[in-house]
Amino acid sequence: MARFVVMYDKPSDIEAFERHYREVHIPLAKQLPGLRRYTISHDAMPVIGEPCYLVAMLDWDDMESLGAALGSEAGDRTAEDPITNLSRYTTIRGMIVQLEDT
């Protein structure tokens, strides 16, 4: 399984951030080809540092599927939204993780 993790710090305008995230960003992300699961968690506590306001985890079957999704037209639209809209409210960090069965 491959996972794309996005971490959002506490927004300067929580109401505007939440409205845009739920009404615009989630519907965009759910159009990503091959997406198996989309999970969000509020107030996630890292091992070191301040809690993240929101953590989103998007799962695909494998790295190839994740790469294809991010390289798609839907991937371009989904990636552009946080840069254009959500970044005015908060700091955004992301990472890709390949998960292995044990």
Side-chain angles (χ1 to χ4, degrees):
M1 181 177 6
R3 177 172 285 168
F4 184 54
V5 180
V6 185
M7 296 159 283
Y8 299 88
D9 290 331
K10 185 175 181 181
S12 57
D13 184 338
I14 291 173
E15 185 178 316
F17 173 87
E18 285 286 338
R19 183 174 42 257
H20 184 87
Y21 194 84
R22 294 195 182 278
E23 294 175 6
V24 177
H25 192 70
I26 289 175
L28 280 173
K30 287 188 173 183
Q31 295 176 22
L32 291 166
L35 181 66
R36 295 290 177 212
R37 185 172 55 188
Y38 187 106
T39 309
I40 61 172
S41 174
H42 279 86
D43 300 319
M45 185 59 139
V47 174
I48 298 172
E50 297 295 316
C52 296
Y53 175 76
L54 184 132
V55 175
M57 293 175 283
L58 295 84
D59 294 337
W60 282 265
D61 288 337
D62 50 44
M63 292 298 281
E64 292 78 25
S65 299
L66 187 154
L70 297 182
S72 70
E73 187 177 318
D76 291 343
R77 287 191 309 269
T78 304
E80 183 63 28
D81 181 57
I83 295 166
T84 303
N85 298 301
L86 296 174
S87 65
R88 73 178 91 167
Y89 304 116
T90 187
T91 303
I92 305 166
R93 293 164 281 148
M95 66 179 164
I96 295 175
V97 179
Q98 184 170 354
L99 303 172
E100 298 179 6
D101 292 330
T102 56

